[in-house]
Amino acid sequence: MKFGQWLGLAAIIAAVALLWSLRGLLLQLFAAVVLAMAICTLVGVVRGRLGCSRPLALTISLGAVALVVVVGGVVLIPPFVEQFAELLAKLPDAADVLIALARRVLANVSRVLYGRHDGSLEWLQQLWPARGPSPDVLAGGLGGGALRLLGLASNLGSGTLQLVFVLAMSLMLAVQPTAYRDVLVLLAPSFYRRRLRQVLDLCGAALSDWMVGVAISSVCVALLAGVGLSLLGVERVVANASPAGRLNVIPTVGPTLSTTFPMSVALLDAPWKALAVLGLYVVVQHLESYVITPSVMHAKLRLLPGLTLTAQFLFTVIFGPLGLLLALPMAVCVQVIVREVLIHDILDPWKRQRLSP
């Protein structure tokens, strides 16, 4: 390799290292792009329905989003907070019920293993002898708890600043999406700028289709969960069913988290009802995965389950929890880039050159 080639390789390595160090900021910018695409999609729908100018459609869209957020907060947050307070108040009773159930199970195990019919649990006490904590352990625990509280407060402050940054950037991108796209296109070589503009437009269309499909599937999941919870007699149906729709955006982990609160509420009423809620959510998620989502998503946006799981794992390892939340939109964009750039622009011409006489 010549000196210029070595210099170019060093520049590429330095650029990759710089991008790796800024991966958190890049992920926040991508989150802003996703939110901006959601706003632009809504603006396009408003313009198609009303035939108004883009600034007016943007104003109407932002007003509608703000109205939905305010109404949703007024309708959902108070009953959710009230029910959460009731759940915290009933936690001691629930703990007593669980402890009694565990004692009955362990007593049965004791009778089976040790032949005792009195339900004695002395063998369990012998395995774990009672030992009180020393003063040094208590002092260390208190100090560690204070440090964790300070770390939690710092993380909350940092998370709030990041959220404000993402929201502000998404609003700026939604106001002038074409101008920011043209700036990105200018960074490419002149011979590839027209093609890059087409690829970016395809990525935007794919993200819009994905967001519409996710919105429809989330509404369907929330409705199915609400109907099922009402039939099972679980209290606060709206407050318990709405998280199922909102967390449906997070693949794999979201549906699991959405079952926690309604199962806890149902467990305080009857143990069988908690199992029924679990079965209900399993059925709803299977319907969403195999019936609802394939019906509302366009064929080109269907990602194989193995690729989806791989994307979730890879982006979570690289970017953390926010990477899991944005795994699917990133996978959608990567799919478009690989298909258009790698396959159509690089591999197909190379194949034609190899096959030509």
Side-chain angles (χ1 to χ4, degrees):
M1 294 177 62
K2 298 181 180 180
F3 176 75
Q5 294 174 334
W6 281 110
L7 187 61
L9 179 61
I12 292 175
I13 294 175
V16 171
L18 179 61
L19 291 177
W20 176 260
S21 63
L22 297 176
R23 63 186 184 275
L25 177 62
L26 295 177
L27 186 64
Q28 295 172 21
L29 290 176
F30 182 76
V33 170
V34 173
L35 291 178
M37 285 304 306
I39 297 174
C40 291
T41 302
L42 184 58
V43 170
V45 173
V46 173
R47 292 188 67 184
R49 296 286 184 179
L50 302 180
C52 56
S53 62
R54 193 179 190 281
L56 180 58
L58 179 61
T59 304
I60 295 174
S61 302
L62 294 177
V65 171
L67 181 63
V68 169
V69 171
V70 172
V71 172
V74 172
V75 173
L76 296 179
I77 291 179
F80 186 84
V81 172
E82 180 182 355
Q83 192 169 22
F84 187 72
E86 293 178 0
L87 181 63
L88 291 179
K90 293 180 180 179
L91 278 180
D93 297 334
D96 293 339
V97 173
L98 291 177
I99 291 174
L101 181 62
R103 288 183 63 87
R104 287 197 297 269
V105 173
L106 292 176
N108 293 330
V109 173
S110 175
R111 285 195 295 269
V112 172
L113 296 179
Y114 298 94
R116 295 177 179 174
H117 299 282
D118 57 351
S120 176
L121 299 179
E122 295 179 358
W123 61 275
L124 186 62
Q125 297 176 356
Q126 294 174 359
L127 291 178
W128 289 284
R131 183 180 299 174
S134 62
D136 294 336
V137 173
L138 289 176
L142 292 175
L147 291 177
R148 284 193 291 271
L149 287 176
L150 292 176
L152 178 61
S154 176
N155 291 333
L156 288 176
S158 176
T160 302
L161 291 177
Q162 293 175 5
L163 179 60
V164 172
F165 171 76
V166 170
L167 293 177
M169 283 299 303
S170 62
L171 184 59
M172 295 177 187
L173 292 173
V175 172
Q176 293 179 311
T178 306
Y180 288 98
R181 185 200 61 183
D182 293 340
V183 170
L184 183 59
V185 169
L186 290 176
L187 297 177
S190 58
F191 69 90
Y192 199 72
R193 287 172 183 171
R194 178 180 296 180
R195 178 59 178 159
L196 180 59
R197 186 178 288 107
Q198 295 175 355
V199 174
L200 292 177
D201 290 339
L202 290 174
C203 288
L207 281 176
S208 297
D209 292 341
W210 172 79
M211 284 182 288
V212 172
V214 167
I216 295 175
S217 62
S218 298
V219 171
C220 292
V221 167
L223 291 176
L224 290 175
V227 172
L229 292 176
S230 62
L231 293 176
L232 292 175
V234 178
E235 298 179 354
R236 309 287 188 184
V237 173
V238 176
N240 286 320
S242 58
R246 294 195 298 269
L247 293 175
N248 186 60
V249 179
I250 307 175
T252 306
V253 178
T256 304
L257 294 176
S258 64
T259 62
T260 304
F261 192 76
M263 283 187 63
S264 303
V265 175
L267 182 63
L268 296 178
D269 191 6
W272 69 266
K273 192 175 289 186
L275 296 177
V277 170
L278 178 61
L280 168 67
Y281 274 70
V282 169
V283 171
V284 169
Q285 289 304 320
H286 276 77
L287 288 175
E288 185 271 336
S289 299
Y290 297 107
V291 177
I292 299 174
T293 298
S295 299
V296 300
M297 290 288 188
H298 195 270
K300 64 181 180 180
L301 294 182
R302 291 179 184 174
L303 297 174
L304 295 176
L307 295 178
T308 302
L309 185 60
T310 302
Q312 296 171 38
F313 177 77
L314 179 62
F315 292 136
T316 304
V317 170
I318 296 176
F319 299 110
L322 187 57
L324 176 63
L325 179 62
L326 298 174
L328 282 186
M330 284 192 289
V332 168
C333 292
V334 169
Q335 176 180 262
V336 174
I337 294 173
V338 169
R339 184 183 68 241
E340 297 297 327
V341 178
L342 180 61
I343 298 178
H344 292 173
D345 295 345
I346 298 177
L347 296 182
D348 287 350
W350 178 79
K351 180 179 179 181
R352 287 194 294 267
Q353 292 175 2
R354 296 280 295 179
L355 295 178
S356 62

mmCIF file of all heavy atoms in Angstrom, residues 21 29 37-39 87 99-100 105 114 137 159 193 271 275:
data_model
loop_
_atom_site.group_PDB
_atom_site.id
_atom_site.type_symbol
_atom_site.label_atom_id
_atom_site.label_comp_id
_atom_site.label_asym_id
_atom_site.label_seq_id
_atom_site.Cartn_x
_atom_site.Cartn_y
_atom_site.Cartn_z
ATOM 1 N N SER A 21 -17.298 6.506 19.868
ATOM 2 C CA SER A 21 -17.346 7.294 21.105
ATOM 3 C C SER A 21 -18.593 8.161 21.183
ATOM 4 O O SER A 21 -19.029 8.527 22.287
ATOM 5 C CB SER A 21 -16.087 8.174 21.210
ATOM 6 O OG SER A 21 -16.042 9.112 20.147
ATOM 7 N N LEU A 29 -29.974 11.147 18.212
ATOM 8 C CA LEU A 29 -30.348 11.785 16.951
ATOM 9 C C LEU A 29 -31.266 10.881 16.134
ATOM 10 O O LEU A 29 -32.215 11.360 15.498
ATOM 11 C CB LEU A 29 -29.091 12.129 16.149
ATOM 12 C CG LEU A 29 -28.220 13.264 16.712
ATOM 13 C CD1 LEU A 29 -26.962 13.416 15.876
ATOM 14 C CD2 LEU A 29 -29.002 14.564 16.747
ATOM 15 N N MET A 37 -40.221 11.666 11.889
ATOM 16 C CA MET A 37 -40.919 10.938 10.831
ATOM 17 C C MET A 37 -42.365 10.644 11.237
ATOM 18 O O MET A 37 -43.273 10.677 10.394
ATOM 19 C CB MET A 37 -40.189 9.646 10.513
ATOM 20 C CG MET A 37 -38.918 9.832 9.709
ATOM 21 S SD MET A 37 -39.194 10.727 8.165
ATOM 22 C CE MET A 37 -40.488 9.736 7.421
ATOM 23 N N ALA A 38 -42.583 10.379 12.524
ATOM 24 C CA ALA A 38 -43.955 10.175 12.984
ATOM 25 C C ALA A 38 -44.781 11.447 12.812
ATOM 26 O O ALA A 38 -45.932 11.408 12.353
ATOM 27 C CB ALA A 38 -43.947 9.731 14.449
ATOM 28 N N ILE A 39 -44.188 12.595 13.164
ATOM 29 C CA ILE A 39 -44.896 13.863 12.990
ATOM 30 C C ILE A 39 -45.138 14.149 11.512
ATOM 31 O O ILE A 39 -46.228 14.586 11.113
ATOM 32 C CB ILE A 39 -44.112 14.996 13.661
ATOM 33 C CG1 ILE A 39 -44.005 14.761 15.179
ATOM 34 C CG2 ILE A 39 -44.775 16.345 13.395
ATOM 35 C CD1 ILE A 39 -43.120 15.748 15.895
ATOM 36 N N LEU A 87 -52.292 -0.942 45.567
ATOM 37 C CA LEU A 87 -51.450 -2.132 45.488
ATOM 38 C C LEU A 87 -50.340 -2.095 46.528
ATOM 39 O O LEU A 87 -50.047 -3.101 47.183
ATOM 40 C CB LEU A 87 -50.860 -2.243 44.085
ATOM 41 C CG LEU A 87 -49.952 -3.449 43.811
ATOM 42 C CD1 LEU A 87 -50.739 -4.742 43.966
ATOM 43 C CD2 LEU A 87 -49.351 -3.355 42.417
ATOM 44 N N ILE A 99 -46.531 -16.069 51.454
ATOM 45 C CA ILE A 99 -45.744 -16.819 52.446
ATOM 46 C C ILE A 99 -46.522 -18.054 52.912
ATOM 47 O O ILE A 99 -45.959 -19.148 53.054
ATOM 48 C CB ILE A 99 -45.381 -15.915 53.632
ATOM 49 C CG1 ILE A 99 -44.363 -14.857 53.181
ATOM 50 C CG2 ILE A 99 -44.819 -16.726 54.790
ATOM 51 C CD1 ILE A 99 -44.044 -13.821 54.238
ATOM 52 N N ALA A 100 -47.843 -17.874 53.150
ATOM 53 C CA ALA A 100 -48.654 -19.030 53.550
ATOM 54 C C ALA A 100 -48.689 -20.093 52.461
ATOM 55 O O ALA A 100 -48.592 -21.300 52.736
ATOM 56 C CB ALA A 100 -50.079 -18.564 53.888
ATOM 57 N N VAL A 105 -46.566 -25.355 50.376
ATOM 58 C CA VAL A 105 -45.802 -26.125 49.381
ATOM 59 C C VAL A 105 -44.588 -26.775 50.023
ATOM 60 O O VAL A 105 -44.297 -27.960 49.793
ATOM 61 C CB VAL A 105 -45.388 -25.197 48.212
ATOM 62 C CG1 VAL A 105 -44.446 -25.919 47.262
ATOM 63 C CG2 VAL A 105 -46.621 -24.716 47.450
ATOM 64 N N TYR A 114 -39.061 -36.182 53.789
ATOM 65 C CA TYR A 114 -38.623 -36.579 55.125
ATOM 66 C C TYR A 114 -39.662 -37.384 55.885
ATOM 67 O O TYR A 114 -39.423 -37.787 57.017
ATOM 68 C CB TYR A 114 -38.244 -35.331 55.942
ATOM 69 C CG TYR A 114 -37.090 -34.570 55.333
ATOM 70 C CD1 TYR A 114 -37.323 -33.501 54.475
ATOM 71 C CD2 TYR A 114 -35.773 -34.931 55.600
ATOM 72 C CE1 TYR A 114 -36.281 -32.799 53.904
ATOM 73 C CE2 TYR A 114 -34.725 -34.233 55.029
ATOM 74 C CZ TYR A 114 -34.978 -33.180 54.183
ATOM 75 O OH TYR A 114 -33.945 -32.490 53.613
ATOM 76 N N VAL A 137 -21.941 -4.198 58.711
ATOM 77 C CA VAL A 137 -22.730 -4.497 57.526
ATOM 78 C C VAL A 137 -23.871 -3.501 57.375
ATOM 79 O O VAL A 137 -24.181 -3.020 56.277
ATOM 80 C CB VAL A 137 -23.257 -5.940 57.591
ATOM 81 C CG1 VAL A 137 -24.218 -6.223 56.446
ATOM 82 C CG2 VAL A 137 -22.100 -6.925 57.560
ATOM 83 N N GLY A 159 -31.270 11.806 32.134
ATOM 84 C CA GLY A 159 -32.323 11.315 31.251
ATOM 85 C C GLY A 159 -33.304 12.405 30.846
ATOM 86 O O GLY A 159 -33.772 12.442 29.703
ATOM 87 N N ARG A 193 -25.037 11.555 -4.919
ATOM 88 C CA ARG A 193 -25.994 12.346 -4.136
ATOM 89 C C ARG A 193 -27.436 12.062 -4.545
ATOM 90 O O ARG A 193 -28.320 11.956 -3.685
ATOM 91 C CB ARG A 193 -25.676 13.831 -4.302
ATOM 92 C CG ARG A 193 -24.414 14.250 -3.557
ATOM 93 C CD ARG A 193 -24.003 15.657 -3.865
ATOM 94 N NE ARG A 193 -22.746 15.995 -3.183
ATOM 95 C CZ ARG A 193 -22.047 17.098 -3.399
ATOM 96 N NH1 ARG A 193 -22.493 17.996 -4.296
ATOM 97 N NH2 ARG A 193 -20.926 17.322 -2.751
ATOM 98 N N PRO A 271 -55.701 -16.025 43.281
ATOM 99 C CA PRO A 271 -54.535 -16.553 42.567
ATOM 100 C C PRO A 271 -54.867 -17.066 41.167
ATOM 101 O O PRO A 271 -54.084 -16.884 40.227
ATOM 102 C CB PRO A 271 -54.034 -17.676 43.481
ATOM 103 C CG PRO A 271 -54.539 -17.309 44.835
ATOM 104 C CD PRO A 271 -55.862 -16.650 44.602
ATOM 105 N N LEU A 275 -53.269 -16.190 37.030
ATOM 106 C CA LEU A 275 -52.923 -17.134 35.961
ATOM 107 C C LEU A 275 -53.785 -16.905 34.729
ATOM 108 O O LEU A 275 -53.309 -17.026 33.593
ATOM 109 C CB LEU A 275 -53.086 -18.569 36.463
ATOM 110 C CG LEU A 275 -52.154 -18.996 37.600
ATOM 111 C CD1 LEU A 275 -52.476 -20.419 38.039
ATOM 112 C CD2 LEU A 275 -50.692 -18.890 37.143
#
